[in-house]
Amino acid sequence: MNMTGIETLRWRYNKLEMIDQRILPGRFDYIAYDCAASVAEGIRSMVVRGAPAIGCAAAYGVALEALRLREDTLAGFAEKLDLGFKSLAESRPTAVNLFWALERMRGVWASMGTAEPLQIAGRLLQEAHEISAEDIRINRAMGDFGAALLKDGARVLTHCNAGALATAGWGTALGVIRSAKAQGKQVSVIADETRPFLQGARLTAWEMVQENIPVTLITDNMSGYLMSKGEVDAVVVGTDRVAANGDVANKIGTYMVAVLARRHGIPFYVACPLSTIDRSIASGADIPIEERAPEEVSGFRDCQWAAPGVAIRNPAFDVTPADLVTGLITEKGVVLSPNSEKIAKLFSS
Ligand code: MRU
């Protein structure tokens, strides 16, 4: 079903298994999860990451918790499942897909009224499967719209990893690349390394190498140079949350790339499923930005190279103002020069 061969999340023997993205590409392994708290920990520690994949994992976390509590009384089930929702909601703050998926699961639960816990658990699992399957369908649709924007031979710069690993499959930004390839276009990727967690170096490069899609890895401070040399034709990135006015939160460094793209007249596209648009937030200024551990900046894993005691900032995301965005690529089509009116219209048609 996934069609990339990369199954970021899979359901096996009544457990959720997720590829451990912290150890790629050196090792490829799955970790199994059996309750909401353990899935929340998997999200927090970035075993799974990427906005849509986090949403899918959270949905499975709810289903696992419901299955775990299936023999409880209805009151006990409700009280404990609620705690499961809470622990998942507290796992990471920026990607709105997490909260979108939890709200959808809560709606399904509410629609079951006073049904038996076993029945509710079954229905929640069905919904989690549906959210994942839907994610792949949406990514394929976005891919087709996005691929039409790329010319044959396009050299596309991307930041972070918005690929199969960041979704249930196919990817958002890398889904556009995969769809372009499927349409017979010879596209190539320039992958920003993406300090400090190295999603570009470790994950995007790995995904592209797996599929023989030409990919060149650069450090984050090289993109301006390549743009100034005419070596980048388009930028395509994913997003964790888009505000009602079209401001885009994405991996730290995305804003810098958008400014550079504008300076060099290069189109800057954001692959954005509707589940990533948060219409309750008027502008990017209100998007919560996760601040992660200083050790991610002072070194990598066991190797710490900065002077102990140095002050460190580690915001994991930044906000690109809507006016720097050439277009949002959604499953309903491309929204050029996004603004509040155009985004509102997306949800009314
Ligand atoms: O911290 P991460 O790795 O979860 O951040 C991921 C990103 O910023 C992605 O670009 C975004 O979630 C889009 S994934 C389709």
Side-chain angles (χ1 to χ4, degrees):
M1 187 174 61
N2 184 328
M3 288 161 293
T4 63
I6 299 170
E7 262 191 303
T8 305
L9 315 101
R10 64 184 188 193
W11 187 255
R12 288 273 196 289
Y13 311 112
N14 281 328
K15 289 196 172 117
L16 171 68
E17 293 186 351
M18 302 199 285
I19 296 175
D20 187 351
Q21 301 194 28
R22 300 167 306 179
I23 57 173
L24 276 172
R27 278 185 295 146
F28 181 91
D29 226 335
Y30 280 92
I31 299 180
Y33 294 86
D34 61 2
C35 66
S38 64
V39 174
E41 186 46 35
I43 295 172
R44 188 173 300 112
S45 63
M46 293 177 63
V47 168
V48 69
R49 29 66 50 201
I54 290 172
C56 294
Y60 278 116
V62 168
L64 282 167
E65 192 66 8
L67 284 169
R68 196 173 73 84
L69 301 168
R70 65 185 179 274
E71 282 170 12
D72 222 317
T73 60
L74 194 53
F77 174 84
E79 191 186 328
K80 291 173 200 155
L81 188 58
D82 210 45
L83 291 175
F85 271 94
K86 196 162 174 284
S87 73
L88 288 160
E90 286 168 355
S91 57
R92 287 190 80 189
T94 305
V96 76
N97 306 59
L98 170 71
F99 308 99
W100 170 88
L102 290 177
E103 208 173 299
R104 181 157 155 180
M105 296 299 277
R106 202 176 266 287
V108 167
W109 179 19
S111 74
M112 304 279 299
T114 54
E116 287 300 310
L118 180 63
Q119 253 184 304
I120 298 174
R123 178 65 190 88
L124 288 172
L125 178 60
Q126 188 192 359
E127 193 67 12
H129 287 323
E130 177 50 28
I131 287 174
S132 279
E134 203 177 280
D135 184 53
I136 297 172
R137 289 198 296 271
I138 287 169
N139 292 339
R140 298 287 301 218
M142 281 191 300
D144 287 344
F145 286 121
L149 299 167
L150 301 178
K151 61 173 197 221
D152 192 23
R155 297 156 298 178
V156 183
L157 185 136
T158 191
H159 192 76
C160 196
N161 171 268
L165 288 166
T167 62
W170 200 250
T172 61
L174 294 187
V176 169
I177 301 292
R178 289 189 165 99
S179 297
K181 186 186 173 201
Q183 287 176 10
K185 288 179 179 165
Q186 302 291 324
V187 286
S188 60
V189 174
I190 298 160
D192 274 354
E193 166 184 54
T194 319
R195 281 270 294 143
F197 207 71
L198 306 180
Q199 288 93 332
R202 296 189 303 104
L203 308 177
T204 294
W206 179 78
E207 280 197 36
M208 296 294 92
V209 166
Q210 296 301 299
E211 284 168 54
N212 289 320
I213 295 177
V215 58
T216 303
L217 175 64
I218 60 170
T219 61
D220 298 330
N221 48 1
M222 294 175 186
S223 54
Y225 174 75
L226 292 194
M227 288 183 189
S228 75
K229 291 286 180 191
E231 293 183 33
V232 177
D233 299 304
V235 175
V236 184
V237 295
T239 170
D240 293 85
R241 194 184 298 225
V242 171
N245 70 346
D247 291 349
V248 169
N250 191 46
K251 181 51 54 193
I252 191 77
T254 302
Y255 171 51
M256 193 171 73
V257 173
V259 170
L260 282 167
R262 175 58 54 89
R263 171 72 176 82
H264 294 93
I266 296 166
F268 178 88
Y269 296 111
V270 179
C272 166
L274 297 193
S275 57
T276 308
I277 300 178
D278 182 356
R279 287 188 301 153
S280 75
I281 279 187
S283 83
D286 297 326
I287 297 176
I289 301 293
E290 177 182 15
E291 187 92 23
R292 292 187 62 84
E295 293 74 26
E296 289 182 356
V297 173
S298 55
F300 189 69
R301 296 187 182 143
D302 292 340
C303 178
Q304 293 290 315
W305 50 70
V310 66
I312 288 172
R313 287 291 314 276
N314 188 13
F317 301 93
D318 59 26
V319 175
T320 299
D323 66 279
L324 291 178
V325 177
T326 309
L328 290 180
I329 303 165
T330 79
E331 65 268 39
K332 285 194 173 177
V334 179
V335 182
L336 293 172
S337 307
N339 59 27
S340 306
E341 293 71 38
K342 291 180 189 175
I343 287 178
K345 215 167 142 207
L346 262 183
F347 288 87
S348 61
S349 54

